[in-house]
Amino acid sequence: PFDVLVVGGGPAGAAAAVYAARKGIRTGVAAERFGGQVLDTMAIENFISVTETEGPKMAAALEQHVRHYDVDVMNLQRAEALVPAGDDGLVQVKLANGAVLKSRTVVLSTGARWRQMNVPGENEYRNKGVAYCPHCDGPLFKGKRVAVIGGGNSGVEAAIDLAGIVSHVTLVEFDDKLRADEVLQRKLRSLGNVCVLTSAQTTEVLGDGQKVTGLVYKDRAGGDSHRVELEGIFVQIGLLPNTEWLKGVVDLSPRGEILIDDRGQTNVPGVFAAGDATTVPYKQIIIAMGQGATAALGAFDYLIRSTAP
Ligand code: FAD
């Protein structure tokens, strides 16, 4: 069995694996896709001390750092179930291929995925104008026109944030009213370069083959379609944690995020969690890595305090 089994190979999982391995304990990482969301990212400009890098480059560096240590890396493995430890003190993780991994502690770092609009052009222009993270990609649209899709808290926060960087923001909400907190809505309405469209359903992302040039939305009240010319589209309609497989076993928030304490501990003894899959408020690489380190150190603390073999 492992001492620390990490499930998920993004920034959080990689950090957890490095921290665990450096304690000289038996460490494994099972990941569906090593690198995680970083693989889908183009420019990364907010990983402190690295002025600029690219996602695939960082993903390769993550894997290289983990493999520098004696870590059993199991890539392309999807976990399907977690069974809390019984008398033998071993937590079990069942993989889709039928294998069962056993470990004294587990770090869950399965990350999250952005909910997509699922409209024509969205995939084609992903990273070519279609973006999901205002903290990450906002500065790329300095002085340009953008839309934010979604009028919940994250959409309105994104619109306020972007309004300070870009020339104009169009907020597009499907419902007939915004769902964000009133204080955010008030702030939004005070900004001169933001316009809000409600009862508006985005139906298409337009582009010139290279990059985004606009979007089409349908007025749900009148029924007719309109075009908006712009350079960027931030989709803010939800971040879905990859935790469906933990439901009923590990305590989750109403949004499906893993509940953890400040050592990364979940409600299940010996099971820790880190990164975008958890309730951590800001979903960023540097934060996920810090949390991965915390969870691994939490797991190590747990191991030296437990008497199991
Ligand atoms: P993830 O990166 O999501 O990794 C999750 C890992 O778990 C993956 O290996 C996945 O395959 C695996 N996994 C999932 N389910 C299972 C399962 N059932 N069994 C086994 N393995 C599983 N952040 C920044 O700080 N700067 C940026 O510039 C930036 N740009 C971004 C651009 C885009 C397009 C996106 C999508 C995100 C961006 N982010 C950026 C956010 C950043 O990528 C995430 O915060 C970070 O990757 C979270 O790390 P994580 O390890 O928690 O999860």
Side-chain angles (χ1 to χ4, degrees):
F2 294 105
D3 290 314
V4 177
L5 172 65
V6 180
V7 184
V18 168
Y19 266 74
R22 285 172 57 81
K23 295 294 184 189
I25 55 183
R26 288 161 297 181
T27 305
V29 183
E32 198 176 355
R33 199 169 63 119
F34 203 99
Q37 292 171 67
V38 172
L39 281 177
D40 304 324
T41 305
M42 284 306 290
I44 299 170
E45 301 180 350
N46 57 3
F47 187 66
I48 310 309
S49 84
V50 180
T51 309
E52 201 182 339
T53 185
E54 280 152 22
K57 211 164 134 187
M58 179 182 274
L62 288 177
E63 186 162 354
Q64 195 184 7
H65 198 170
V66 169
R67 288 189 188 275
H68 180 69
Y69 294 95
D70 188 16
V71 174
D72 188 351
V73 177
M74 296 158 276
N75 198 4
L76 310 178
Q77 299 298 335
R78 185 181 169 80
E80 284 192 336
L82 180 131
V83 183
D87 292 341
D88 63 357
L90 297 174
V91 181
Q92 295 183 26
V93 172
K94 298 186 172 165
L95 302 181
N97 71 3
V100 178
L101 303 174
K102 295 183 179 180
S103 185
R104 293 172 67 199
T105 66
V106 170
V107 174
L108 301 168
S109 52
T110 46
R113 58 196 190 275
W114 295 93
R115 225 173 104 202
Q116 295 190 261
M117 298 184 288
N118 293 319
V119 301
E122 181 178 20
N123 271 328
E124 191 183 345
Y125 291 105
R126 191 181 182 134
N127 287 327
K128 295 172 183 165
V130 176
Y132 297 84
C133 176
H135 309 303
C136 314
D137 296 341
L140 305 177
F141 296 91
K142 186 166 190 244
K144 296 184 173 162
R145 297 162 298 178
V146 304
V148 172
I149 313 300
N153 279 336
S154 48
V156 172
E157 279 169 15
I160 294 168
D161 174 2
L162 290 164
I165 305 171
V166 305
S167 67
H168 187 264
V169 182
T170 305
L171 183 85
V172 185
E173 166 58 44
F174 180 83
D175 215 340
D176 60 6
K177 58 181 180 312
L178 302 184
R179 289 158 292 126
D181 298 342
E182 185 49 39
V183 55
L184 290 172
Q185 293 195 38
R186 219 176 305 134
K187 172 83 191 178
L188 184 76
R189 282 193 296 266
S190 76
L191 300 170
N193 62 340
V194 177
C195 84
V196 176
L197 303 172
T198 53
S199 301
Q201 178 180 9
T202 308
T203 53
E204 194 178 350
V205 172
L206 302 172
D208 62 6
Q210 303 290 319
K211 54 187 180 0
V212 167
T213 56
L215 65 75
V216 179
Y217 73 90
K218 191 174 112 186
D219 175 356
R220 295 177 62 232
D224 40 345
S225 286
H226 304 270
R227 283 172 78 119
V228 182
E229 311 280 316
L230 43 71
E231 288 77 39
I233 300 172
F234 284 83
V235 183
Q236 298 288 303
I237 53 177
L239 186 67
L240 305 173
N242 299 317
T243 56
E244 291 84 354
W245 63 290
L246 300 167
K247 239 172 234 161
V249 180
V250 178
D251 283 350
L252 306 175
S253 74
R255 289 165 154 212
E257 297 169 325
I258 303 168
L259 297 172
I260 52 170
D261 67 12
D262 53 11
R263 289 168 183 244
Q265 201 155 214
T266 71
N267 64 305
V268 179
V271 177
F272 295 74
D276 284 13
T278 73
T279 47
V280 65
Y282 303 107
K283 299 342 195 201
Q284 294 285 283
I285 294 165
I286 202 160
I287 294 172
M289 283 190 185
Q291 271 206 313
T294 301
L297 294 176
F300 183 68
D301 242 5
Y302 175 90
L303 286 169
I304 59 179
R305 281 174 166 74
S306 65
T307 50

